[in-house]
Amino acid sequence: MKVSVIIPCYNEKNSLLKLLALVKEAPVKEKEVVLVDDASEDGTREMIKATLEKEVDQVVYHEKNMGKGAAIRSGLERVSGDIVIIQDADLEYDPMEYPKLIEPILTGKADVVFGSRFVGGGPHRVHLFWHYVGNKILTLFSTCSVT
C-alpha cells in the first residue's frame, strides 16, 4: 500500500529540513511526499525552491495564505496513495510512528485514524455520542458534593 504524506507548511524554515529527513526515514515501504507551502514569508518558500523541490514528489505553492485546511485540500487533490497522512511541519508528531497510525487501517479495524497528543497508550475506539453524553452526566452527578 502506498502512503501519501501531505505536509502543509507556513513559515517553517527552521524545522522543515529536519522534518523531511525524518519523513524519508519513516518505516513505510512505499510513500510519496506532497509539500504545500501556504504563502510562507520567512524564507521557507525560497528554501523549498532552492533545495527541496527535488527532495519531495510534489510541491504546491499558494499565492496567498489560505490556512491549513486549504493547504490540506490542495494536497489531497494531488495524492495518489491508498492511505493519506497529514504531517505538520513543526515536528509535533513523529514520522517514526506512521506504522502505528496505519496499522488499524491495514488490519481492517478502522477506515480512518486520528492521531492525538492527548490520548496515549495505543488505539482507542470512538464512543457513540449518547454513551459519551451519558458518561458525562453520570460523572457530573457523582462528583457533585451535597451540602
Side-chain angles (χ1 to χ4, degrees), residues 29-147:
K29 286 185 181 180
E30 186 181 3
K31 65 181 164 276
E32 74 173 337
V33 177
V34 178
L35 182 60
V36 183
D37 178 68
D38 195 26
S40 293
E41 300 171 338
D42 70 339
T44 299
R45 179 172 290 221
E46 293 74 19
M47 181 178 70
I48 293 168
K49 286 183 178 184
T51 60
L52 298 179
E53 278 185 348
K54 50 192 165 284
E55 300 292 321
V56 298
D57 297 288
Q58 295 186 57
V59 179
V60 179
Y61 296 102
H62 285 178
E63 293 307 314
K64 66 176 188 165
N65 183 271
M66 298 189 297
K68 184 176 178 181
I72 291 169
R73 284 189 298 277
S74 292
L76 287 171
E77 291 172 0
R78 289 159 178 88
V79 298
S80 63
D82 304 294
I83 296 174
V84 177
I85 293 176
I86 299 166
Q87 172 71 60
D88 287 348
D90 61 4
L91 298 169
E92 185 173 0
Y93 300 107
D94 184 0
M96 293 301 147
E97 294 187 358
Y98 289 174
K100 287 166 69 174
L101 272 176
I102 64 175
E103 187 271 332
I105 296 170
L106 295 176
T107 59
K109 293 180 181 175
D111 294 322
V112 65
V113 176
F114 295 96
S116 173
R117 62 188 156 192
F118 303 113
V119 180
H124 298 276
R125 292 195 52 83
V126 176
H127 298 285
L128 297 174
F129 174 74
W130 290 113
H131 291 174
Y132 174 79
V133 171
N135 284 336
K136 288 295 182 186
I137 291 170
L138 287 172
T139 300
L140 175 68
F141 286 127
S142 64
T143 57
C144 291
S145 62
V146 179
T147 55

